[in-house]
Amino acid sequence: MELSTSPLALPFPEMPSIEGVTLRVARARYKEWDRYDLTFVELSEGTSAAGVFTQSACASTEVELGREQIKEGSARALIVNAGNSNAFTGHRGAEAVEQIMAQVSEEMGCAPTQVFVSSTGVIGVPLPKDRAREGVANVLSAQPCGWEDAADAIATTDTFAKGAHGSAMIGDTRTELCGIIKGSGMIAPDMATMLGYIFTDADIAPAFLQELLNGANAKTYSCITVDGDTSTSDTVLAFATGKAGHARIENWDSPGADAFAAALTDVCRQLAQLVVRDGEGASKFIAVQVSGANNDESARRVGLAVANSPLVKTAIAGEDANWGRVVMAVGKAGEPADRDKLSIGFGGVWAARNGVPVEDYDEAPVAEHLKGAEIDLTVDLGIGDGAATVWTCDLTHGYISINADYRS
Amino acid sequence: MELSTSPLALPFPEMPSIEGVTLRVARARYKEWDRYDLTFVELSEGTSAAGVFTQSACASTEVELGREQIKEGSARALIVNAGNSNAFTGHRGAEAVEQIMAQVSEEMGCAPTQVFVSSTGVIGVPLPKDRAREGVANVLSAQPCGWEDAADAIATTDTFAKGAHGSAMIGDTRTELCGIIKGSGMIAPDMATMLGYIFTDADIAPAFLQELLNGANAKTYSCITVDGDTSTSDTVLAFATGKAGHARIENWDSPGADAFAAALTDVCRQLAQLVVRDGEGASKFIAVQVSGANNDESARRVGLAVANSPLVKTAIAGEDANWGRVVMAVGKAGEPADRDKLSIGFGGVWAARNGVPVEDYDEAPVAEHLKGAEIDLTVDLGIGDGAATVWTCDLTHGYISINADYRS
């Protein structure tokens, strides 16, 4: 099945090279296709690493190993396999990953734990060790390539290549951040999954990089949803080569820490939103802004309940300002709420305030807003200061077609 | 939009009358339609009442009042309004309910709190008091009717009338249980919701009836899902007239308590399954059997995670034995699980055992099973003795059509 490009796609941005980061791609042919499906990122000595991983209780070997590796905070290489997630494959899957780590570390003269491996694609089929061995040998000697080639090579059912760029001034030094991501929601046919990577030439101590990534994740990747299905392989890794030459950022007191944190969060937000824009069957990009909650985390949960509700998502697909369905979704979130203080709006127009429909509510501007491709849905709980924004897409016939009509 | 009858519909069963229960229906014309939409159930003096209600934080006035009324445990009447849920209507909605309670209680010479009111349908529009007053006046003097008429009158977007019958021997006395229910999943266009009522001539003390209903609910209504959207009005009420003439059942030590509890659970399970069979767009009825969990509640949560997963539901709609998606859903449930002890089967055939695909797995009988309308999906977690069964339906283009293609 050939998927057409999402109507919400954005063009791949101009992105600079990052000193200490070299990209290469090769064909391992993990599936019967003729495309690059093996990505190798070489990282200079002294690169700090941080990562966030799926909460799944059935995570892949790659995720289990990554959770351990990240504790050491040091990276020299990233390998991404596309077409096979290697999840639910028992000891045979683990052997394939360990083989890759050994092969790359031997070539590079580093520790195996400095080689991070991600895999994405079909589940339950061990990654073929022979193809991996040959593919890795090829990719180690391949010519360097650009960001868009790498973004294409890590993709599976994505309909467009996804990248984002940011920069931060640290003292007088300009640092760059470049990220690539793949995913069509948390999910896709054959369990394709969200994998994201951010590279920077900034010099950040590993523990602080992890702290910053955790913070960025809470406001970005953890605030998107396509259908609430969490994959076994979701991974976001951040690598900082330190080549920019400024004094190392050790903690919040280091000069430039705030600027870098803001840039990292911005790049993560761009990447996260690109995944939603490629959500399966998506025709509308929806920002759910929640305010007046008990606290920020409560606001995020309410936002996710609204964003995951099939009734809300189908209503927006149908361009129907059905705020009753939003009330329902708020009510089921399991978070503190007061029916008689709840307000709901679309495109900046309140449809209901303080628990009752707005008198003389004019639906015309709302109907016009809902015809667009970028939808703003506002929920004010009216009980506190907590706020969060969650991004999602609508639920359409396209989603059913991709996931039910075609056998994977 | 005229919905065609669900392919999973069952014929309305033969159901006996219950002594002390008289059914009547009338036209209140809560919407622009010409059908019975107001149901009145008269209950004899001394009727015990019990109820379970939605967990929604934005519940309707009817639910809020019902939660209070049930503490007294005594009922003389039930009024059900169809076409308007009266939810999210503030004080005007509350006035309409209080008016109905006053009008009925005055006529019957009982306390207003002995009159239970449910409403289902559009949200955000206060129940029109004039139509309610006239409708109630009409229904109080209407001729008695049968179960199927009442089941039709409480329905909104349901595609077939739903009833279930059971009986229990209490000593030498045969008691009857009759139930009716409406709902097309937890959800439907315009927030139609699940309302269920069980009537019996058994003599059960209110507190014990409540205990039995809680227990039955945990194994039945709380184990169904169509799309995970919880309504603001979900209500299940049980009424026991005591007319059968046996010694009152006060607790588990009373003769017949076990038999009655079993019959009540059986009727509740039948009713709950009928709602799934009328799930919006449903083409397959799916039983998710979970075993080997830490405990029964954990098993239920895992079952609901599987049953609510859009990926699992679309895979079954596509007749695809995609057990990788089941692994994903188990992993995201947030419950204890061990990837390497997990087993998954369809129609009695294991596809994966102990964390790896079954060698020489023969998909032919599974493919045949998935072509049918009744699907068995088995998940064994392999870590404990907890078990539960959850019922759901598949996710099809029909769901999208009902909820997005037509404005409600």
Side-chain angles (χ1 to χ4, degrees):
Chain A
M1 155 182 200
E2 190 67 32
L3 293 172
S4 54
T5 301
S6 168
L8 305 172
L10 296 181
F12 199 84
E14 293 295 323
M15 304 203 329
S17 51
I18 301 278
E19 197 179 344
V21 176
T22 310
L23 309 165
R24 294 182 175 87
V25 295
R27 288 174 169 80
R29 296 197 166 80
Y30 288 122
K31 292 182 77 168
E32 297 307 317
W33 55 23
D34 183 34
R35 51 158 275 194
Y36 295 122
D37 55 3
L38 178 58
T39 306
F40 166 48
V41 184
E42 186 180 343
L43 301 160
S44 54
E45 275 192 59
T47 294
S48 299
V52 289
F53 300 93
T54 180
Q55 303 289 317
S56 173
C58 298
S60 68
T61 293
E62 284 82 340
V63 167
E64 288 184 337
L65 288 170
R67 286 173 182 154
E68 289 303 309
Q69 290 172 261
I70 220 67
K71 292 177 188 166
E72 300 183 20
S74 168
R76 289 298 314 282
L78 168 69
I79 293 281
V80 184
N81 306 301
N84 185 322
S85 79
N86 198 35
F88 215 67
T89 54
H91 64 92
R92 286 179 295 169
E95 285 170 15
V97 182
E98 283 156 10
Q99 173 191 290
I100 292 171
M101 290 166 70
Q103 188 178 359
V104 175
S105 61
E106 199 167 310
E107 181 75 23
M108 296 185 62
C110 66
T113 53
Q114 291 179 300
V115 179
F116 287 78
V117 181
S118 302
S119 303
T120 174
V122 69
I123 198 172
V125 180
L127 195 73
K129 287 198 281 187
D130 51 343
R131 295 193 183 195
R133 183 182 301 280
E134 195 179 339
V136 168
N138 289 339
V139 87
L140 286 171
S141 59
Q143 288 297 311
C145 68
W147 290 110
E148 191 166 359
D149 289 331
D152 271 328
I154 67 170
T156 54
T157 56
D158 303 61
T159 73
F160 63 97
K162 304 176 185 71
H165 168 236
S167 59
M169 291 303 292
I170 297 174
D172 291 334
T173 309
R174 176 179 165 130
T175 62
E176 308 290 346
L177 298 86
C178 289
I180 56 175
I181 199 163
K182 63 90 47 178
S184 197
M186 294 294 132
I187 57 88
D190 274 338
M191 291 284 295
T193 57
M194 194 190 76
L195 301 179
Y197 308 101
I198 303 105
F199 306 90
T200 179
D201 54 359
D203 192 352
I204 319 279
F208 190 57
L209 185 61
Q210 184 67 49
E211 182 180 338
L212 294 181
L213 185 63
N214 290 345
N217 173 61
K219 287 184 251 177
T220 60
Y221 306 110
S222 292
C223 290
I224 62 170
T225 179
V226 169
D227 53 12
D229 273 348
T230 310
S231 98
T232 51
S233 310
D234 287 345
T235 296
V236 174
L237 296 171
F239 301 105
T241 67
K243 293 290 183 188
H246 59 82
R248 171 167 274 213
I249 296 180
E250 298 281 356
N251 53 47
W252 286 109
D253 294 331
S254 303
D258 289 329
F260 182 81
L264 179 66
T265 299
D266 179 60
V267 169
C268 288
R269 185 182 296 112
Q270 291 182 54
L271 292 173
Q273 292 186 356
L274 288 170
V275 171
V276 172
R277 287 183 176 278
D278 208 3
E280 294 177 333
S283 74
K284 292 177 193 291
F285 178 85
I286 306 166
V288 181
Q289 294 180 286
V290 181
S291 57
N294 244 9
N295 54 54
D296 290 353
E297 175 59 16
S298 183
R300 189 182 72 93
R301 289 174 193 268
V302 169
L304 284 173
V306 172
N308 275 325
S309 161
L311 269 184
V312 172
K313 295 160 82 81
T314 49
I316 291 176
E319 302 179 351
D320 180 5
N322 195 323
W323 55 267
R325 295 184 182 181
V326 181
V327 175
M328 175 281 300
V330 172
K332 77 165 179 169
E335 293 296 318
D338 180 338
R339 186 191 63 199
D340 297 333
K341 291 181 177 166
L342 181 60
S343 301
I344 293 162
F346 295 90
V349 178
W350 293 113
R353 292 224 70 167
N354 299 317
V356 288
V358 169
E359 299 222 13
D360 307 320
Y361 161 58
D362 179 10
E363 204 180 330
V366 172
E368 194 58 34
H369 177 71
L370 288 172
K371 283 182 192 158
E374 316 270 329
I375 307 299
D376 287 319
L377 199 172
T378 307
V379 175
D380 188 89
L381 297 174
I383 59 171
D385 294 325
T389 302
V390 167
W391 298 278
T392 190
C393 55
D394 55 345
L395 174 58
T396 69
H397 282 289
Y399 181 89
I400 307 292
S401 295
I402 292 168
N403 287 301
D405 295 357
Y406 297 83
R407 300 290 294 271
S408 50
Chain B
M1 160 181 196
E2 189 66 33
L3 294 171
S4 54
T5 303
S6 167
L8 305 172
L10 297 180
F12 199 85
E14 293 295 323
M15 305 205 325
S17 51
I18 300 278
E19 198 179 341
V21 177
T22 309
L23 310 166
R24 294 183 176 86
V25 295
R27 287 174 169 80
R29 294 195 166 81
Y30 288 122
K31 293 182 77 169
E32 298 307 315
W33 55 21
D34 183 34
R35 49 157 278 194
Y36 295 122
D37 55 4
L38 178 57
T39 306
F40 166 48
V41 184
E42 184 179 346
L43 300 160
S44 55
E45 275 192 58
T47 294
S48 301
V52 290
F53 300 92
T54 180
Q55 303 289 316
S56 172
C58 299
S60 68
T61 294
E62 285 82 339
V63 167
E64 288 185 335
L65 289 171
R67 286 173 181 154
E68 289 304 308
Q69 290 172 263
I70 220 66
K71 292 176 187 165
E72 299 184 20
S74 167
R76 289 300 312 284
L78 168 69
I79 294 280
V80 183
N81 305 301
N84 186 322
S85 78
N86 198 36
F88 214 67
T89 54
H91 65 92
R92 286 179 295 169
E95 286 170 14
V97 182
E98 283 157 11
Q99 173 191 291
I100 292 171
M101 290 166 70
Q103 189 178 359
V104 175
S105 62
E106 200 166 311
E107 180 75 24
M108 295 185 63
C110 66
T113 53
Q114 290 179 301
V115 179
F116 287 79
V117 180
S118 302
S119 302
T120 175
V122 69
I123 199 172
V125 180
L127 195 73
K129 286 198 281 186
D130 52 343
R131 295 193 183 195
R133 183 183 300 279
E134 194 179 341
V136 168
N138 288 339
V139 85
L140 286 169
S141 60
Q143 287 297 312
C145 68
W147 292 110
E148 191 166 0
D149 290 329
D152 272 327
I154 67 171
T156 53
T157 56
D158 303 61
T159 74
F160 62 96
K162 304 176 184 71
H165 169 237
S167 58
M169 290 303 293
I170 296 173
D172 291 334
T173 309
R174 177 178 165 132
T175 62
E176 307 291 345
L177 298 87
C178 289
I180 57 176
I181 199 163
K182 64 88 49 179
S184 198
M186 293 296 132
I187 57 86
D190 274 337
M191 292 283 295
T193 57
M194 194 189 76
L195 301 179
Y197 308 100
I198 303 106
F199 305 90
T200 179
D201 55 358
D203 191 354
I204 319 277
F208 191 57
L209 184 62
Q210 184 65 49
E211 182 179 338
L212 294 181
L213 185 63
N214 291 346
N217 174 61
K219 288 185 251 177
T220 60
Y221 306 110
S222 293
C223 290
I224 63 170
T225 179
V226 168
D227 52 14
D229 273 347
T230 309
S231 98
T232 51
S233 310
D234 287 344
T235 297
V236 174
L237 296 170
F239 301 105
T241 66
K243 293 290 185 188
H246 58 81
R248 172 167 271 213
I249 296 180
E250 298 281 356
N251 54 46
W252 286 109
D253 293 331
S254 303
D258 289 329
F260 182 81
L264 178 66
T265 300
D266 179 61
V267 168
C268 288
R269 185 182 296 112
Q270 290 182 55
L271 292 172
Q273 293 187 354
L274 287 171
V275 171
V276 172
R277 287 183 176 276
D278 208 3
E280 293 177 333
S283 74
K284 293 177 192 291
F285 178 86
I286 307 166
V288 181
Q289 294 179 285
V290 180
S291 57
N294 244 9
N295 54 55
D296 290 353
E297 176 58 15
S298 182
R300 187 182 73 93
R301 289 175 193 268
V302 169
L304 284 172
V306 172
N308 275 324
S309 162
L311 269 184
V312 171
K313 295 160 82 81
T314 48
I316 291 177
E319 303 180 351
D320 180 4
N322 195 322
W323 56 267
R325 296 184 181 182
V326 180
V327 174
M328 176 281 301
V330 172
K332 78 165 180 169
E335 293 296 318
D338 181 339
R339 186 191 64 198
D340 297 333
K341 291 180 177 167
L342 180 59
S343 301
I344 294 162
F346 295 89
V349 178
W350 292 112
R353 293 225 68 169
N354 299 316
V356 287
V358 169
E359 299 221 11
D360 307 320
Y361 161 57
D362 179 11
E363 205 181 331
V366 171
E368 194 58 34
H369 177 72
L370 287 173
K371 284 182 192 159
E374 315 269 329
I375 307 299
D376 287 319
L377 199 172
T378 307
V379 175
D380 189 89
L381 297 173
I383 60 170
D385 294 325
T389 301
V390 167
W391 297 278
T392 191
C393 56
D394 55 345
L395 175 58
T396 69
H397 283 288
Y399 182 88
I400 307 293
S401 295
I402 292 168
N403 287 302
D405 295 358
Y406 298 83
R407 300 291 294 269
S408 50

